[in-house]
Amino acid sequence: MPELPEMETYKSLLQPIIGGQSITEVMINREKSINVPIEEFASLVLHQKINVIERRAKYLVFHLQNGSCLLLHLMLGGRMFYGKEEDRPDRTVQVQLSFGNHHLYFIGLRLGYLHLLSPEMIQQEFQHIGPEPLDQSFSLHTFQTIIKDKRGGLKTTLLNQEVIAGIGNRYSDEILWHAQLLPERKTNELDTDELARLYESMQYILQKGIQQGGYMEEPLFKGDGKTGDYEMYVHSREGENCRRCHSLIVMKEISSRKTYFCQDCQH
């Protein structure tokens, strides 16, 4: 599932390409991927300029000229591709927005969606989402204040979108490995130094993920040289040597999620 770094990468790459451009055609191949009848969706989206693209948690919001918004959540297996018809990946396209002879393809939206909403409805969607971990206002003190009353495990807490926005299964493993903390440690057991280390690791891993274009290998467009350069330290590396202490990385299911960590250098 795309997480904060992947969605931030999509946003930063798409904004200069389609920002200010008008949607010239709308194609819906899977009506369940949208939230209103196809005719209504097309009538409100067609010929609209995309003013700006915003990211919130794991969502993208496309703000249209008429004040409407398109809310995208890719969920598990979703991705996008921008290009000409001849460059389109050989995958089923659920939704297509065209900009002349170039198209933005939404692929793998079996669970994901592109909903047409008002700004007020967008705010309702986001009202229970926690703070953005890379915002300037998200200080160590803010983080400590949020965490101090939590009683769950670290992995489960990082995954909770109502606590902190945008972190999913992969980057929670990466953050905890970098902070040298075991995923089942309880948040209320951490001392001041461990909380500071966790905060710094969160900042470091997410920023690195963005700088390296996230982990998803599929390019956004032909010639895309940024997407997918992030290489996992620990996630999906069961049986490989830890890069820090060279012990074997193990996998354990925590809250029904495959969780990867080093038993020797994570404490």
Side-chain angles (χ1 to χ4, degrees), residues 5-6 9 170-171 173-175 177-178 201 204-217 226-235 237 243:
E6 288 70 45
T9 298
R170 289 175 179 262
Y171 289 101
D173 287 351
E174 297 290 284
I175 290 165
W177 178 86
H178 191 268
S201 293
Y204 175 80
I205 291 294
L206 294 177
Q207 288 172 354
K208 183 178 181 181
I210 292 169
Q211 290 165 4
Q212 297 184 348
Y215 75 86
M216 293 174 65
E217 296 180 354
K226 181 179 181 180
T227 300
D229 282 346
Y230 182 84
E231 186 177 353
M232 295 286 163
Y233 288 109
V234 66
H235 189 87
R237 292 186 174 275
R243 297 186 186 185

Side-chain angles (χ1 to χ4, degrees), residues 5-175:
E6 288 70 45
M7 300 310 285
E8 186 68 24
T9 298
Y10 275 141
K11 185 198 82 171
S12 64
L13 292 178
L14 279 175
Q15 180 64 50
I17 296 174
I18 64 174
Q21 299 297 312
S22 294
I23 299 168
T24 57
E25 185 181 354
V26 175
M27 186 179 298
I28 309 295
N29 297 322
R30 183 178 184 272
E31 192 165 359
K32 288 184 178 179
S33 296
I34 60 176
N35 61 322
V36 296
I38 293 175
E39 296 76 12
E40 180 182 349
F41 186 95
S43 68
L44 290 171
V45 171
L46 197 59
H47 307 307
Q48 291 300 310
K49 286 184 180 180
I50 294 181
N51 285 340
V52 69
I53 304 171
E54 171 192 11
R55 181 195 60 77
R56 179 74 168 101
K58 302 176 189 178
Y59 298 86
L60 286 189
V61 182
F62 300 82
H63 292 269
L64 305 182
Q65 184 182 17
N66 62 6
S68 297
C69 301
L70 293 174
L71 178 67
L72 172 69
H73 198 311
L74 291 173
M75 299 293 284
L76 186 65
R79 57 171 289 210
M80 288 184 284
F81 183 82
Y82 178 82
K84 294 183 178 180
E85 174 64 29
E86 57 264 31
D87 299 323
R88 178 172 66 87
D90 187 18
R91 292 277 306 279
T92 301
V93 174
Q94 282 75 36
V95 180
Q96 174 184 321
L97 302 180
S98 298
F99 303 84
N101 63 352
H102 284 71
H103 317 281
L104 181 59
Y105 300 102
F106 298 87
I107 300 167
L109 294 186
R110 291 178 300 276
L111 298 174
Y113 53 83
L114 186 68
H115 285 179
L116 180 65
L117 302 170
S118 68
E120 293 75 22
M121 294 167 73
I122 294 285
Q123 291 306 311
Q124 290 178 4
E125 291 281 337
F126 292 161
Q127 64 180 336
H128 297 301
I129 294 180
E132 291 287 332
L134 297 182
D135 273 3
Q136 290 185 348
S137 61
F138 190 77
S139 64
L140 174 58
H141 176 71
T142 301
F143 175 65
Q144 290 171 327
T145 302
I146 291 171
I147 291 296
K148 70 177 183 179
D149 295 326
K150 306 302 176 188
R151 295 291 182 268
L154 290 178
K155 167 85 174 188
T156 306
T157 301
L158 289 178
L159 290 176
N160 188 342
Q161 297 302 294
E162 295 187 9
V163 178
I164 301 171
I167 300 171
N169 197 37
R170 289 175 179 262
Y171 289 101
S172 59
D173 287 351
E174 297 290 284
I175 290 165

